[in-house]
Amino acid sequence: MNVVKPLPSIAAGRRHTVGLKSDGMVTAVGDNKYGQCDVSGWRDMVAVAAGNVHMATNTGNAHTIGLKSDGTVAAVGWNKHDQCDVSGWCDIMAVAAGWRRTVGLKSDGTVVAVGRNNEGQCNVSGWRDMVAVAAGDWHTVGLKSDGTVTIVGNNRYGQCNVSDWRDIAAAAAGYLHTVGLTSDGTVIAVGRNNEGQCNVSGWRGIVAIAAGSNHTIGLKSDGTVAAVGWNKHGQCNISGWRDIVAVAAGCTHTAGLKSDGTVVAVGNNEYGQCDVSGWRGIQLPGN
């Protein structure tokens, strides 16, 4: 069983950004209050994930996840809800991080999750035949090998109403919305749309997607990027981007990996989470 999309080498959280280098080491910038940027000792990594969280003033704590080449997982950062207790995981082939939890996709298509489960967002023990996972603030998304999607957790805004989705090639989860990339390059979205973050029906030629707290990002086949949703911090100001091969969306910022291994970022930079101009040698998809 193979992951549908290349493993992510950039990740964006509430106030920090993480990059996986082609040599298997990891770099991070931004808020480090809980040690979520303490990744300098990591080695042999093949993917990274960052715990995102919505904008509320009483939130912001985050964690960072790294998937190792041997299928084990590393974690640093906020661990109040045991979301970093992944030392016993093995045979993992993809990871996702939401607010207060971590999700792992195993090589046999099953899924494991640790962390806060007040709304059932960690109830994934019965999942089978999964090929990708995504984590929103209070809901967890699983993409099945048949192109359908399963979701558990909070559904207050209909962000789990995906029973009619078909031919999905990738999925992303934001604060209260869920985004699906279809095999024909179009995009669908459900959930809260107060900021227009679900207005993706006109998108075409999309090859990858990312969901921030209240914005949605689409990577086009020509290396340009589309964005909809909340733009108070400039997190959707990506119209000038070119040669992009991967995208990541945090709470209020957006990062793009260029074909030369450098990274660009726009949006909220209060904690230095967009200070990626010096990054070099970030792992390219498929390499």
Side-chain angles (χ1 to χ4, degrees), residues 199-267:
N199 296 344
V200 297
S201 60
W203 287 5
R204 299 290 183 273
I206 304 296
V207 296
I209 52 174
S213 286
N214 296 294
H215 70 295
T216 303
I217 302 296
L219 172 61
K220 295 184 168 185
S221 56
D222 64 0
T224 62
V225 178
V228 291
W230 196 37
N231 196 33
K232 178 181 179 181
H233 299 273
Q235 61 263 46
C236 291
N237 295 346
I238 45 68
S239 59
W241 286 8
R242 300 290 183 272
D243 301 316
I244 304 296
V245 295
V247 288
C251 176
T252 52
H253 73 294
T254 304
L257 172 61
K258 301 190 71 173
S259 57
D260 64 359
T262 62
V263 177
V264 289
V266 293

Side-chain angles (χ1 to χ4, degrees), residues 21-83:
K21 297 182 178 182
S22 54
D23 62 3
M25 296 177 67
V26 179
T27 185
V29 292
D31 180 25
N32 196 34
K33 180 180 178 182
Y34 284 87
Q36 60 263 46
C37 291
D38 292 342
V39 295
S40 60
W42 286 6
R43 301 288 186 275
D44 300 315
M45 295 293 169
V46 294
V48 289
N52 195 14
V53 50
H54 56 282
M55 196 65 187
T57 55
N58 64 337
T59 65
N61 307 335
H63 65 297
T64 302
I65 299 297
L67 174 61
K68 299 188 74 172
S69 58
D70 64 0
T72 61
V73 178
V76 291
W78 193 45
N79 195 34
K80 180 179 179 181
H81 301 270
D82 300 327
Q83 60 265 44

Side-chain angles (χ1 to χ4, degrees), residues 162 164-166 168 170 172 178-182 186-190 198 200-201 203 209 216:
V162 298
D164 60 339
W165 286 14
R166 299 291 183 273
I168 303 298
T178 306
V179 186
L181 171 63
T182 67
T186 60
V187 180
I188 49 181
V190 293
C198 291
V200 297
S201 60
W203 287 5
I209 52 174
T216 303

